[in-house]
Amino acid sequence: MKRIFVCCVFFPFAAFACETGQVYTDIECYQKQTQQIKNQMNRSYAELVKLNLYDTHQAFEQSQKLWLQWIEKDCAFENTAMTQSQGAGYGLAIAECKHKHYAARLKQLQSVVKELRLEKE
């Protein structure tokens, strides 16, 4: 039981799947969770800037610009077959894909911040 609680506190987007069976509700859920991840990324980025080691924040900015382009293309590619379907299924697939990528990127960014924090101490 403790494990689930800890998971929910630190990674609420990973603990709660947006699968209600209602496409528009699920899209909204994924978009809301992705926005929460973006907010966490902004806080982690602010900490990265504050740590000010090795110009890491500048490297992240350059990487982030390319990463944002990449996820758009990757999610479109991953869901190519869905473009021929009717309804909002494609939108749901794109929202879920972006959510997955943002969650992974947040984890990566937090890992870098943690390492730099330890190094600075």
Side-chain angles (χ1 to χ4, degrees):
M1 189 68 166
K2 263 187 176 176
R3 214 179 241 174
I4 293 172
F5 175 73
V6 171
C7 179
C8 293
V9 170
F10 294 108
F11 298 102
F13 50 87
F16 177 73
C18 297
E19 297 175 7
T20 66
Q22 303 294 321
V23 175
Y24 293 107
T25 302
D26 292 351
I27 290 172
E28 185 179 323
C29 177
Y30 278 121
Q31 289 173 339
K32 187 180 288 185
Q33 287 187 14
T34 300
Q35 185 57 50
Q36 290 172 348
I37 294 169
K38 288 178 180 180
N39 293 341
Q40 289 178 302
M41 286 179 72
N42 287 337
R43 287 190 294 274
S44 293
Y45 173 74
E47 189 172 350
L48 190 69
V49 171
K50 194 164 74 171
L51 287 168
N52 196 28
L53 289 173
Y54 315 115
D55 295 324
T56 308
H57 68 284
Q58 292 172 344
F60 176 76
E61 288 173 11
Q62 293 171 354
S63 170
Q64 189 68 3
K65 287 177 186 176
L66 294 172
W67 180 82
L68 288 168
Q69 293 173 12
W70 175 78
I71 65 164
E72 292 295 326
K73 302 291 184 191
D74 188 61
C75 288
F77 168 71
E78 188 176 306
N79 295 290
T80 302
M82 293 288 295
T83 61
Q84 301 305 311
S85 66
Q86 295 181 339
Y90 179 71
L92 176 58
I94 294 294
E96 183 178 9
C97 179
K98 287 181 180 182
H99 176 267
K100 175 184 69 175
H101 285 311
Y102 270 95
R105 184 68 166 180
L106 174 61
K107 187 175 179 180
Q108 180 186 41
L109 177 57
Q110 288 175 331
S111 176
V112 170
V113 169
K114 182 179 177 181
E115 289 176 26
L116 291 174
R117 200 180 313 126
L118 290 172
E119 192 170 318
K120 193 162 186 169
E121 290 177 350

